[in-house]
Amino acid sequence: MRNSSARQLEFDYVVGDTQVSSAPGGDARPMSTSAQTVSQPDSFPDFTRYDATFAAAAKVAGKINAASISDVELRELLRERKRLLTKKLGGKITPRESNRLQYVRWTLDRIEDARDGYILDALESSVSRYEQLAQDLTNLYSRLGAELPSRKAR
Amino acid sequence: MSWCDRLASTPAVGFKLTSHFAPIDFLLEALAPIIDRQPEEHAKQITFEQSNTNFSAAFILNDGFRYAATEAQVAVTFNHRARFRPQSGGPPTMEMLSTPTPFTALLPIVSERLIEATLLLPKIAERKVFRVGIVSTTPIADEDLPPGIRRMIEYVGRPWKGKFDAYNISLLMRLAEGEEVTERCTHTIQRPEERDQLMTLQFDWQRTFKNGWTPNKSNLERLLAEAQRDALKYFEDIAEGNRFDEELLRETVGV
């Protein structure tokens, strides 16, 4: 099952070789410094070199920003989508309007994901746990099945 | 709101000026008021970058604002900053030091800081501003790309039927040219080969003036306000993607 947004917000502590540069083009050094002290802050302008932690930070920031859209702006986007969809269904949409429709849809998707995506992610997480439980029960049943004939034989 | 807001893009704003070769000590001394007003606990966390020349200096404040100055340029960038904090009996947690703020809200803040830094530079009264630039940098997953930028990548990849493993596209394009002003934008799109790593989008919009502007506060404010408006308009245009629509392109060239 593909992880969606809420799962991506979890930080990946397992990554052992996390490297980050203190400056663009600077020398990379380990992210964790001392176990006793809080590490020095790091900045990370070049995200391609970093691990899931930084991807998660950027996603968190993006979601906070996307979710903070005003109701007025959201209504305006919904109105625009409706207007463009009506044109599309009427077969009168121009290529420019069609591109605009794609962009408006993409924008609304991002807002919807930021506002309500966490509910779907929680559901997804529950489904994963149930799937794992079902797998564990199947394994247990198989092991019990394998054990029973040998015990009967004794 | 811009797509840059929704994808947590980070801004950089800069000026190109008449060259003045002030040694690094002079540059840092000139910019010292910015460092000096930081609270003590934050001032100790300022990162000074190693300079490649004797005429440039750069430092990053605790809240994620990076100041950089060379003999001919000055720029302020916002980057997310984080640190790891060890936890008793558990894994370390990451603490954001910078505040997640929309791109369009950060732009005026970064611009204001740039104006302050510019007016502090050595011999600023004798210098002129020849270029203003606005940069948007976005780390992004493949599936989150705005439709126009996806169309741009597909357009570039058509000769290979779009079978990309990795790419590093950089296009410095002239957008408009007048007698006094030229506008350009460097479009950089990078995708690493490793699937679990993010792509990076960077759009560096620039306006160059044939005759330099005197760097006083009102001129700098005006230059930046106009640059912000026009750069954001262009970034929206890229994300909408009419420029890369083959049907529209055919209409333009009459094929």
Side-chain angles (χ1 to χ4, degrees):
Chain A
M1 187 180 280
R2 185 172 170 273
N3 284 346
S4 70
S5 49
R7 295 294 301 278
Q8 288 164 352
L9 302 184
E10 292 167 9
F11 299 138
D12 182 8
Y13 297 115
V14 184
V15 179
D17 57 347
T18 307
Q19 299 275 311
V20 70
S21 167
S22 59
D27 294 332
R29 60 189 172 84
M31 173 64 98
S32 54
T33 50
S34 161
Q36 279 77 41
T37 58
V38 170
S39 68
Q40 289 296 302
D42 288 286
S43 57
F44 34 92
D46 179 0
F47 286 84
T48 55
R49 290 175 293 155
Y50 307 118
D51 70 355
T53 306
F54 301 96
K59 276 187 172 292
V60 172
K63 275 174 173 288
I64 292 169
N65 294 339
S68 66
I69 186 172
S70 71
D71 287 340
V72 176
E73 198 177 351
L74 182 60
R75 272 199 300 274
E76 184 54 44
L77 283 167
L78 290 168
R79 254 199 303 273
E80 188 175 4
R81 182 178 64 176
K82 190 179 172 187
R83 182 178 63 79
L84 292 169
L85 272 173
T86 310
K87 277 195 158 186
K88 189 180 181 182
L89 292 171
K92 290 175 182 170
I93 196 162
T94 66
R96 276 178 196 280
E97 286 169 334
S98 180
N99 291 340
R100 178 69 191 169
L101 177 60
Q102 274 187 45
Y103 181 64
V104 172
R105 279 175 160 166
W106 174 85
T107 305
L108 287 166
D109 281 348
R110 293 205 61 83
I111 294 164
E112 191 181 50
D113 180 48
R115 286 190 164 186
D116 305 321
Y118 69 94
I119 299 169
L120 293 173
D121 295 332
L123 273 174
E124 182 188 318
S125 172
S126 299
V127 169
S128 295
R129 284 204 300 275
Y130 278 114
E131 282 174 350
Q132 185 59 50
L133 177 66
Q135 184 64 46
D136 290 346
L137 286 173
T138 308
N139 291 344
L140 178 65
Y141 186 75
S142 306
R143 281 172 55 195
L144 287 172
E147 285 283 328
L148 276 175
S150 60
R151 290 205 175 187
K152 275 180 184 169
R154 277 184 227 160
Chain B
M1 247 189 170
S2 152
W3 63 270
C4 300
D5 293 337
R6 295 177 193 103
L7 296 174
S9 309
T10 51
V13 183
F15 288 128
K16 187 172 185 190
L17 305 138
T18 319
S19 294
H20 171 63
F21 288 88
I24 183 169
D25 291 351
F26 282 62
L27 277 174
L28 285 175
E29 197 179 327
L31 297 171
I34 295 166
I35 299 164
D36 208 26
R37 68 158 181 265
Q38 301 300 308
E40 193 180 340
E41 68 274 21
H42 287 184
K44 286 176 183 166
Q45 304 278 16
I46 292 173
T47 308
F48 288 88
E49 292 178 10
Q50 195 105 38
S51 176
N52 293 327
T53 75
N54 291 325
F55 306 105
S56 65
F59 55 86
I60 308 172
L61 302 182
N62 198 51
D63 52 8
F65 291 94
R66 176 180 181 269
Y67 290 74
T70 69
E71 69 276 4
Q73 289 179 337
V74 57
V76 177
T77 310
F78 175 80
N79 291 319
H80 294 297
R81 294 198 98 198
R83 68 180 166 195
F84 277 89
R85 186 181 282 280
Q87 299 294 322
S88 171
T93 55
M94 195 179 81
E95 182 184 4
M96 291 290 288
L97 298 174
S98 50
T99 313
T101 311
F103 182 85
T104 48
L106 276 167
L107 256 184
I109 299 169
V110 173
S111 299
E112 199 177 311
R113 286 172 179 257
L114 176 69
I115 291 171
E116 183 195 16
T118 307
L119 295 174
L120 288 170
L121 288 177
K123 294 203 172 177
I124 191 63
E126 300 166 26
R127 303 166 75 179
K128 298 267 187 194
V129 174
F130 284 94
R131 190 165 77 200
V132 56
I134 307 246
V135 184
S136 157
T137 305
T138 314
I140 188 169
D142 225 356
E143 64 268 22
D144 291 333
L145 279 173
I149 296 169
R150 183 179 301 282
R151 199 172 297 129
M152 177 183 178
I153 295 165
E154 286 167 359
Y155 184 78
V156 174
R158 272 200 59 188
W160 299 273
K161 298 185 169 62
K163 290 178 180 169
F164 294 111
D165 280 334
Y167 47 81
N168 188 347
I169 304 166
S170 185
L171 302 163
L172 172 53
M173 306 306 291
R174 209 173 301 155
L175 309 177
E177 201 168 14
E179 283 192 11
E180 293 296 318
V181 172
T182 305
E183 286 173 14
R184 305 190 302 177
C185 184
T186 305
H187 314 69
T188 307
I189 306 175
Q190 291 177 314
R191 186 168 92 167
E193 196 167 354
E194 296 77 18
R195 286 294 81 134
D196 58 339
Q197 292 202 2
L198 292 177
M199 297 173 62
T200 305
L201 308 177
Q202 190 172 74
F203 300 109
D204 179 350
W205 183 94
Q206 303 164 2
R207 177 172 283 154
T208 307
F209 307 100
K210 195 174 177 190
N211 299 308
W213 286 67
T214 305
N216 57 44
K217 195 164 187 287
S218 63
N219 278 351
L220 298 183
E221 280 173 349
R222 181 181 159 190
L223 290 179
L224 284 171
E226 289 173 357
Q228 281 176 42
R229 182 196 62 207
D230 296 339
L232 280 172
K233 194 173 162 197
Y234 183 67
F235 296 159
E236 287 300 293
D237 184 52
I238 292 278
E240 215 169 293
N242 288 325
R243 286 172 190 270
F244 319 110
D245 186 302
E246 301 216 26
E247 202 174 327
L248 290 170
L249 282 170
R250 268 195 294 274
E251 282 173 17
T252 316
V253 294
V255 177

